[in-house]
Amino acid sequence: MRLASILLALFIAAMPIAGSAASPEAAPEAAPQTARPFEADSLKQILDAQKGRPVIVHFWGLTCSNCMAELKDWGAFTRAHPDAMMVLVNWDQRGARPAEISPTLQKAGLGSVSSFVLGNGFEEKLRFAVGQDWMGELPYTRLIAGDGSATAFSGPADFEQLGSWLAKQSQ
Amino acid sequence: MRVHIQMAILLLASIMPGSGAAVAHDANAHHGAPAACQTTALACASVITAAFGPDGKLWVTWIAGGRVSVASSADLGKTFADPVTLPKTDLPLDEGPDARPKIAIGQAGRVIVTYASRDEKYNGHAFIVRSGDGGKTFSTPQPITSDSPSQRFETAALDQDGRAFVTWIDKRNGAKAKKDGKPYAGAALAFAWDDRPGGTLQAATIARDNSCECCRIGVAFAGPGRPVVLFRNIFDGGIRDHAVITFADSKTPGPLYRVSDDDAKIDACPHQGPSLAIGPDGVYHATWFALGRKLKGLYYAHSNDDGKTFSEPMRLGDPNAQTSRPYVLATHGVVYLAYKSFDGAMTTIDLITSHDSGKTWSAPRSIAMTHDASDHPLLIASPAGAYLSWLTLQDGYRLIPLEPQS
């Protein structure tokens, strides 16, 4: 699966980038990510792979209008902080449309951000593994510092505050 | 590491010849109900809503295999008569976290079912179907309204005289404001009475602008023709706290009263709507999920003055056990309140009871549990008793008496 996504990324990266010159804002997306299933141990794996670097995990939904309204702002934030480790997790439940995740993220300028989709089955258990006090509201964002300590907020992000948090992490 | 991979990709890309179109696919994404269960059978249901008829017969409606079905049971859910599967909707059914088909049972074989489908922009399109022959046949589904871009969380309820009140979250005024370039928070609370069984509903009336757009509605009656609606409102400053409206008469929504000062200043979808019950003594019982700066978690409050003021909110359950989906029922002289808890491995339905109209409550008692996915717990009353109606992946549909059976 990992190999497949790398191959797909290679394939797309090899495509001629058409029209990008016409829109200076649309920086070429390096590696469009396909959404991988988010399981109970996914967050731990992400953090283990980061080896003490801070991580921003943003939970969003196509069915959540407040999420969709700020998605492009997350795109701008990732462009402004190219070194920040971001993870996006789509948390749409029943009636979800996983095929729309990648195109939506691409459009918001988030095509190269590591992307997950709520895994099969027991949503409560998967959510509990993320945060015991998370009641499933969206958007929801967890900020995990290098030492593993986590803070979280529900609702749209304050990107200025988020930038300050990131800056503090690298001090 | 990611940066290294990206650099490698860019390097490779620069030396690879251009190729034709490639489409990114979510081939790895999998989701939802077990793939093996795709039929319209009750056993494949993702959500089930139940109600008792005046004759004590249990009625259920559910979504499975992309369709809404209806069936009845004369033995408290042990066996069901052959189900009726309603016509397929043009668009996929609304299966959002707080959405479900609803059912109301009247006298003389009257059955009303409401449900909604959703378009590619996630706008809801809600329908009503009725039966006048005890659920043997149903009328052609009718849209609940003809001039709205979106209707969700539709609920039909029968008042004491058997008149059907339908209420829902409607986006007509939001769409109009957008067209006019004006700001509009959330959606609106709309209603219509169903006075022409088989035909269209009355024209819709907007009871209140600026309600939260993503949660179910609680409905009960203060008297014939006087619905009471509990919903997540958007107060000034974008505060999404709960409010109650009691109708002065069937056409006139009364003033809006705040149930609790949760101070939910948040533009997030909680996907958890409230529940309302009114006892024969006229006391309002409200329970809700708060996501505020002052209150967070599950709460209960009651009102002795027709919803004008509510008691101090009472916190339910363990804050660290993901308590959710509270539901209240007032029947047979008892107020029952159930909610879900999750401890990391097991989901439990806890029940508390009050025998003095909500003033004092019993300690929580666990009445059901499961180790896998489950629907919201619902409480329903038969002429003889009170029950938990609950669907779990492990055990299927269960109807559990709330009082210990002798």
Side-chain angles (χ1 to χ4, degrees), chain A residues 1 10-11 13 34-35 62-63 66 92-94 97-99 118 120 122 124 128 131-132 134-135 137-138 154 156, chain B residues 9 12-13 22 25-26 28 30-31 47 95-96 119-120 122 266-269 289 322-323 340 342 344 371-372:
Chain A
M1 185 178 75
L10 280 170
F11 192 53
T34 49
L62 291 157
T63 56
N66 292 309
D92 288 315
Q93 297 182 45
R94 291 170 295 153
R97 299 176 194 168
L118 174 62
N120 261 332
F122 202 178
E124 279 120 321
F128 196 87
Q132 287 185 26
W134 178 29
M135 299 308 296
E137 69 278 5
L138 295 173
S154 307
Chain B
I9 288 167
L12 269 166
H25 256 304
D26 282 306
N28 298 320
H30 57 120
H31 217 82
V47 286
E95 293 192 271
D119 63 25
E120 69 285 352
Y122 297 100
I266 188 165
D267 284 329
C269 280
F289 166 63
Q322 277 188 349
T323 48
K340 250 183 179 184
F342 182 68
H371 288 85
D372 207 329

Side-chain angles (χ1 to χ4, degrees), chain B residues 50-303:
Chain B
F52 280 102
D55 57 357
K57 195 185 266 187
L58 174 73
W59 287 85
V60 293
T61 181
W62 68 92
I63 291 180
R67 303 280 285 271
V68 176
S69 299
V70 185
S72 65
S73 168
D75 57 8
L76 298 175
K78 288 184 195 74
T79 60
F80 285 91
D82 287 344
V84 174
T85 296
L86 300 177
K88 190 168 168 50
T89 46
D90 292 340
L91 298 161
L93 291 167
D94 182 357
E95 293 192 271
D98 222 12
R100 60 176 58 249
K102 314 267 186 357
I103 189 161
I105 314 299
Q107 298 288 347
R110 199 160 153 231
V111 181
I112 299 175
V113 178
T114 59
Y115 55 93
S117 59
R118 273 205 288 189
D119 63 25
E120 69 285 352
K121 295 209 180 304
Y122 297 100
N123 286 316
H125 302 276
F127 296 90
I128 184 166
V129 296
R130 302 86 147 190
S131 172
D133 59 8
K136 287 188 198 73
T137 59
F138 282 87
S139 62
T140 307
Q142 295 284 340
I144 57 169
T145 184
S146 57
D147 49 3
S148 157
S150 179
Q151 319 96 43
R152 292 192 71 204
F153 306 110
E154 67 297 331
T155 300
L158 296 167
D159 73 4
Q160 288 87 337
D161 291 344
R163 200 174 168 204
F165 171 77
V166 184
T167 183
W168 65 93
I169 301 297
D170 190 289
K171 287 198 171 164
R172 72 189 67 200
N173 285 354
K176 189 177 178 300
K178 195 175 173 186
K179 212 171 137 195
D180 298 344
K182 291 179 184 153
Y184 186 96
L189 181 75
F191 73 93
W193 291 87
D194 175 26
D195 288 333
R196 285 173 292 192
T200 53
L201 294 182
Q202 275 184 353
T205 304
I206 299 296
R208 180 80 189 186
D209 277 304
N210 307 123
S211 68
C212 180
E213 59 273 47
C214 41
C215 296
R216 76 183 180 197
I217 306 165
V219 183
F221 291 92
R226 295 191 59 219
V228 181
V229 185
L230 172 65
F231 61 104
R232 199 182 284 275
N233 187 49
I234 306 182
F235 289 93
D236 287 348
I239 309 292
R240 292 182 188 235
D241 284 358
H242 284 86
V244 70
I245 288 176
T246 301
F247 279 60
D249 57 55
S250 65
K251 290 195 176 81
T252 319
L256 175 132
Y257 295 108
R258 196 179 197 128
V259 173
S260 165
D261 179 17
D262 302 347
D263 197 19
K265 166 103 186 91
I266 188 165
D267 284 329
C269 280
H271 297 301
Q272 285 205 51
S275 170
L276 172 73
I278 300 177
D281 54 5
V283 176
Y284 291 20
H285 304 277
T287 183
W288 69 97
F289 166 63
L291 194 60
R293 288 179 291 204
K294 291 180 185 163
L295 300 184
K296 196 175 177 195
L298 298 193
Y299 287 87
Y300 161 85
H302 62 268
S303 170

Side-chain angles (χ1 to χ4, degrees), chain A residues 33-35 60 62 90 92 95-106 117, chain B residues 23-31 122:
Chain A
Q33 303 272 329
T34 49
W60 66 286
L62 291 157
N90 178 281
D92 288 315
R97 299 176 194 168
E100 290 177 20
I101 293 171
S102 282
T104 304
L105 294 181
Q106 287 270 88
V117 57
Chain B
V23 180
H25 256 304
D26 282 306
N28 298 320
H30 57 120
H31 217 82
Y122 297 100

Side-chain angles (χ1 to χ4, degrees), chain A residues 29-51:
Chain A
E29 294 287 347
Q33 303 272 329
T34 49
R36 285 169 282 164
F38 189 90
E39 306 293 354
D41 58 352
S42 294
L43 188 57
K44 191 181 172 300
Q45 284 177 12
I46 292 162
L47 297 179
D48 286 352
Q50 282 309 300
K51 296 189 174 67

